[in-house]
Amino acid sequence: MKPSRVPANIGWVALALTLGFLTLSTFWPLAVLITRFLGSSQTVLTTFFDVFPVVRATLSQAMWSTAVSAVLGLGLGLWAGRLASVAQDKHSQKCVSKCISLGHFFLSIPYGVPTIVAATAWISWLGRHGYFAQIGIPLEISYRFQAVILAHVFFNAPWVAYWVSQARTEIPQEELDAAQSLGAGVLCRFRFVIFPRIKWTFFSATLQVFMLCVMSFALVLILGGGPPVQTLETALYSRMRYGSLDMPGAMACGLWQLLVTGVPWLALLWFQKKKALNPSRNSNESFRVAQASSRSLIQSAVFLWVAALFVIPYVAVFSGGKALSLLTARYLSEISLPLLISFKLALGTAAGACVVALLAVLAISFVQGRTSCASRASTLLGFVVSLPSSISVLVLGLGFWIAYADWIDPFEGSFVAMLILQVTLFMPVAFRVFWPIAQNTAHFRLSAAETLGASPLTAFRYVEFPRWRAPVLRVFAMIAAGALGEVAAVSLFYSEKLVPLPLVISRWMGQYRFEEAQALSAFLLAASVAVMAGVQILGGKNRDVIR
Amino acid sequence: MSSGKEGLQVRGFFKKMDGFDLRADFEIPQGVRAVLLGKSGSGKTTLLRVLAGIEKADAGSVVLGGKEISQVSPKDRDIGVVFQEQALFPALDVMENATFGLRMRGVSRDERVALADPWLKRLGLHKQSFAAVTQLSGGERQRVAFIRALIWKPKLLLLDEPFSALDAELRQTLRLELLDLHKQWPVPVLLVTHDAEDAQALATVKFQIETSRAAEGREQRVVTQAFSS
Amino acid sequence: MIGANVSYKWVHALVLALLTHSVLCPSRVSANPPELVIYAYDSFASPKGAGSKIVPLFEKQCGCTVRLLGCGNGGQLLTRLQLDEKRGKSDAHLVLGLDQQTWLQAKHYTEPWGNWVPKGYPELLAESKVGEGFVPFDYGVFSLISDQAELTRLKLGVPQSLKDLLKPAYRRNVILEDPRTSTPGMAFLLLTHAVFGADFMAFWHSFKTQWLTLTPGWDGAYGLFLRREAPLVWSYTTSQAYHEEHGDIKGDGRRYRALLFQEGQPMQVEGAAMIRRSLRGGAPGAPLSAPNDEVERLSKAFLEFLISPEIQTLIAHTNWMLPVRVGVELPESYRALPTAKKLLRLEKDSDELSQILGRWQREVEHP
């Protein structure tokens, strides 16, 4: 094991801050909740097995959604990655590059689409008076298992495609050329060259999708048609929401979630460590890109359309053209404060999640270089950092409140609590993107800079930062957009003076203001896309997508 | 089209490059080792990639073993290529890398191992047969790349600056090893390099890229034969 | 040492931030001027809710300030009280929006009236009087709402009873709410329990393939209904009045119509109560300190204000519910609502409720 390049003082601080944050945001609230609410061990055990039908239903839905998303996402991602590689060819036309950049941007949009917007949009398509029914194709899949799968696939396949594409772009073209010159056809090139290079990114993105499906809430509630189509998250919600607070039942659902999502993640980290393969090209390799051809333009245009296909369903919320009606003084006065709160929260969450994830990366790199059992320690720490994404936000939020009841009262509203909770939820997403980048740090280049008189910070600034800049911006933009439409965390800590935009939608619906609520959904979607585009444009567009 | 001749014939080759046009007309008979000398950016690697089928020429024909291969896909050209960065497959071990070409041609695993063993022994790699290629030194990686390109008996061997990243001593050793390997399988060889020493040590035929004249404001570069021994 | 230092500062900063926040948003009641804090459901507490009209009137009358804390829906009010007890304190004096079902469980967290009887209580509808400690202020009658245009298009008649809903013609034509997460959904489940008795699961066994969807709350169901996803939705009779007030034709030509079952309609009574003294920091039965005494007086005054004729008249228009006070003048749209032959109050104690819900869940969870 190479000695860590993270200086001891920085390493210790990063480790302390990471563990401190996780303790305060996750472990302490969970511990308090468990000790306060869990009944006798017998009750827990009985309840644990009582929810098994829900576990089965969750797994069935999550596995189908994930499998279809993964297969579609893999195919699309490989194609997109190959095209992105072509776009780097200096002979490639500018419009090819533009098409591919825009296509990648489309692929990143679904992550930022609020689930309530997605559900409304799907009803507009699949519903009994939806667009398909109107053109004489009544799809009988609405309010059924198939509708949930379809909505999940449209949500998640672009996510897989996006990250696979990034990994595919990194494959040295010479390896592919070499394989081809040795007689390898498409399948063999995929099997021996491409897949080994992308597999951890692919598995990681797939697992992330699986987690999202297990934790799925609004889509299942609205599109599933009720039980038996449900998830552990909806079951957990029904145990905490109405009448009696069934905490053992909720904890049983939470525990199952942890098991179902945590165990595969731990396994992935474990195997990844054992069979680590530098996922990107060697740092000293000269990089030859795929050659642009006359077909590149057509292919990139087709890709753009395919990528747009994953965004088109959500455009349905703009139907009726009511979104613009919100731009009147009457509505603006009603939504301007929620909008401001939502933007502040989204940007704060994105910044917080990126900072904590970077600290975690630093801490793990530091641990890797110091302990005798570095591999196991860093696997464990990586798992611990990713753990919050396996815990229901409802459980976490409740624990948060009970643990910090003296300071935070959710019914009074707390921006700080919303922020910390959202940072906790989104941080693992950022961590999973940053960690592979950190593993490919070109230490010799940093050393080279230091021998030329650069301080570690300056060396990082000029040698490493250019490599980090694009992914950090990308993740920042995605998280900001995702946080803008996030409902669960904000619904735990809002107050009359602190109502973020997504809650205004449900509030309006409760007041018979359904058309206005749909207009606001469209507004929220536009805001999410604007945040995503804005961050990427401000941070120097294209550099992130087409390196 | 078939010329009825063994070896490689390149006729009327033309490719528009950034800032110049590259033209070539040459042949490399069976068993001949040709070295193409040229500065960085002169177009020599491009020529090699066109021969391998990885890039397309704007005009011209390439005949190998009497068969026109300009339109044949790289995987069916029967040309072994050694890339500048070796381009070994990190997911495969030394043995799997070395025998990849055989595997693609349906040779069974046992046969592949039996065929590769003498080659690996000859180049001192037999103890690392099942090691990860990421654990090899630069010289060892290059040896694996040589074996990988030759073991399946291609009709032409192309080498792109194969010694550029190695020290002088290792370079000398590998040149000798390459000569030795070539004796085992005396196909036409085209090696592109900017290093005159490589040419001196290996070439039976030397080519170079010369700037001939300007046409329509564009620089014209032509592959010409320097001498024959 | 640098590491330890920075870490310490960070933790300190976080704790400070949390403390500062709690100082900036004091959750405890300040003594001067008197402030009444009320837990209420969101639609009451929101800027355009009934609270926004009622509270200023009361503030003017009492010379105090009233703070409404929105706590989600009616079910969450109970959760709030349960959690307050877990953490050992409550920040409010009153809870507003409990219904007769949640009251059975919330009673434990509220203060009994003792000798006090709210002024105007005898004038309230008999069915609305749930029990001592609970001041009803409005009620709703659950019913199916039909979209007559859609029913005509689908050539469907109007269902007259629960059993009618099992007819093949109504398959995927009814939108319901999930009883686990919504009050109307629970009312429907309890109605089936009341009508079919021990055999109610047989009804659900057949019915589970009949509904189009079970939404988590009323808003989701009604939103789908208005998008014409189904011609029938489980809602309140007052939905008909809402549509009439917003342009639906009156009389026989109306499009949205409240439908009554032969078996009767479940009703929901909403009320308010004082939160138990011990939860507010005082020992049960112990004499209250002067400021607490003052807020208790204000609490009682507010509860009486809720059932005063002035506020009861306001209820219909602001909360889309019916006033509990007899003889209050109703808007025309309310007078046109069909009158249920039988109003059913179907509250169950928590054990029985869990049992019913458990049986229901086991039945519907299986495809």
Side-chain angles (χ1 to χ4, degrees), chain A residues 23-35:
Chain A
T23 305
L24 286 176
S25 69
T26 311
F27 304 126
W28 177 246
L30 272 188
V32 170
L33 200 63
I34 289 168
T35 50

Side-chain angles (χ1 to χ4, degrees), chain A residues 124 128-129 407 409 411 494, chain C residues 19 42 80 91 172 227:
Chain A
S124 301
R128 300 170 93 198
H129 280 88
W407 297 304
D409 181 345
F411 292 90
Y494 74 97
Chain C
L19 281 173
D42 277 352
R80 162 93 217 203
D91 299 329
R172 280 169 77 77
R227 296 173 81 110

Side-chain angles (χ1 to χ4, degrees), chain A residues 9 12-13 16-17 20-21 24 36-37 50 53-54 56 120-121 123-124 126-130 134 139-144 221-230 234-235 237-245 319 330 334 398 401-402 404-417 420 491 494-497 506-507 509-514 518, chain C residues 2-4 6-7 10 14-15 18-19 21-22 25-27 42 45-48 67-73 75-76 78-80 82-84 86-87 89 91 99 101-102 105 150 153 171-173 178-183 186 211-216 218-220 222-224 226-231 235 238-239 242-243 320 354 360-361 364-367:
Chain A
N9 52 358
W12 282 116
V13 173
L17 290 182
F21 178 83
L24 286 176
R36 194 76 77 91
F37 283 104
D50 268 357
V54 187
R56 214 170 37 206
T120 311
I123 297 289
S124 301
L126 306 175
R128 300 170 93 198
H129 280 88
Q134 282 171 30
L139 294 175
E140 281 298 312
I141 64 165
S142 52
Y143 313 106
R144 289 191 168 147
L221 283 178
I222 298 171
L223 294 175
V229 181
Q230 57 185 331
T234 60
Y237 169 79
S238 67
R239 280 162 176 79
M240 279 172 55
R241 178 103 174 159
Y242 184 78
S244 59
L245 184 67
S319 68
R330 178 188 149 215
E334 201 174 347
L398 194 66
W401 181 46
I402 300 289
Y404 304 114
D406 285 338
W407 297 304
I408 297 170
D409 181 345
F411 292 90
E412 281 282 359
S414 169
F415 186 81
V416 177
I420 295 179
S491 64
Y494 74 97
S495 72
E496 277 316 307
K497 288 175 189 149
S506 53
R507 197 165 267 207
M509 284 173 73
Q511 297 165 351
Y512 284 95
R513 299 166 70 184
F514 294 99
Q518 182 175 333
Chain C
I2 293 173
V6 172
S7 166
W10 181 78
L14 181 75
V15 171
L18 296 175
L19 281 173
H21 184 80
S22 66
C25 309
S27 51
D42 277 352
S46 71
K48 292 198 172 177
R67 196 149 54 94
L68 292 174
L69 298 180
C71 297
N73 63 16
Q76 282 168 307
L78 175 60
T79 308
R80 162 93 217 203
Q82 288 169 329
L83 291 172
D84 270 355
K86 292 275 180 193
R87 65 174 192 156
K89 67 165 191 174
D91 299 329
D99 65 14
Q101 180 59 55
T102 44
Q105 286 155 284
E150 278 298 294
R153 191 181 67 81
R171 189 174 155 76
R172 280 169 77 77
N173 279 323
D178 192 323
R180 295 171 299 177
T181 50
S182 89
T183 308
M186 176 59 86
W211 72 65
L212 179 71
T213 184
L214 282 189
T215 62
W218 170 86
D219 50 355
Y222 214 80
L224 292 176
L226 290 183
R227 296 173 81 110
R228 297 187 295 149
E229 289 298 299
S235 181
T238 46
S239 297
Y242 172 84
H243 289 293
W320 294 107
S354 304
W360 176 85
Q361 195 160 310
V364 299
E365 260 171 11
H366 294 287

Side-chain angles (χ1 to χ4, degrees), chain C residues 264-330:
Chain C
Q265 305 301 126
M267 72 184 291
Q268 180 190 22
V269 183
E270 290 187 321
M274 291 183 286
I275 292 172
R276 207 176 65 206
R277 262 184 226 171
S278 56
L279 263 181
R280 289 188 276 124
L288 289 165
S289 58
N292 274 342
D293 217 4
E294 172 66 6
V295 290
E296 188 147 319
R297 188 187 63 76
L298 286 174
S299 300
K300 288 177 176 170
F302 186 82
L303 292 175
E304 287 175 344
F305 186 66
L306 277 178
I307 51 174
S308 66
E310 181 187 10
I311 298 306
Q312 287 291 299
T313 316
L314 256 179
I315 286 287
H317 269 308
T318 52
N319 225 23
W320 294 107
M321 294 287 266
L322 294 152
V324 282
R325 196 174 177 113
V326 179
V328 168
E329 195 181 339
L330 288 171

Side-chain angles (χ1 to χ4, degrees), chain A residues 97-121:
Chain A
S97 170
K98 287 245 183 271
C99 277
I100 292 164
S101 288
L102 194 59
H104 275 85
F105 178 63
F106 283 158
L107 289 182
S108 70
I109 285 178
Y111 186 78
V113 174
T115 44
I116 186 153
V117 172
T120 311

Side-chain angles (χ1 to χ4, degrees), chain A residues 90-91 174-175 177-185 188 191-193 196-197 277 282 284-286 288 291, chain B residues 18 45 49 54-56 74-75 79 81 83 85 87-92 100-101 103-105 141 148 152:
Chain A
K90 58 190 171 188
H91 299 295
E174 277 182 339
E175 273 181 30
D177 292 343
Q180 205 179 4
S181 73
L182 289 163
C188 284
R191 181 177 160 197
F192 296 109
V193 183
R197 290 277 195 181
L277 171 70
N282 293 335
N284 58 349
E285 280 172 342
S286 66
R288 192 179 285 279
Q291 272 226 305
Chain B
D18 263 357
T45 297
R49 289 169 63 80
I54 299 162
E55 286 189 34
K56 291 252 181 292
K75 79 181 182 67
I79 296 175
V81 185
F83 291 84
E85 300 287 350
L88 298 182
F89 309 134
L92 308 181
F100 190 84
R103 187 177 190 169
M104 292 302 108
R105 282 156 184 81
R141 288 166 66 89
R148 185 177 74 173
W152 54 280

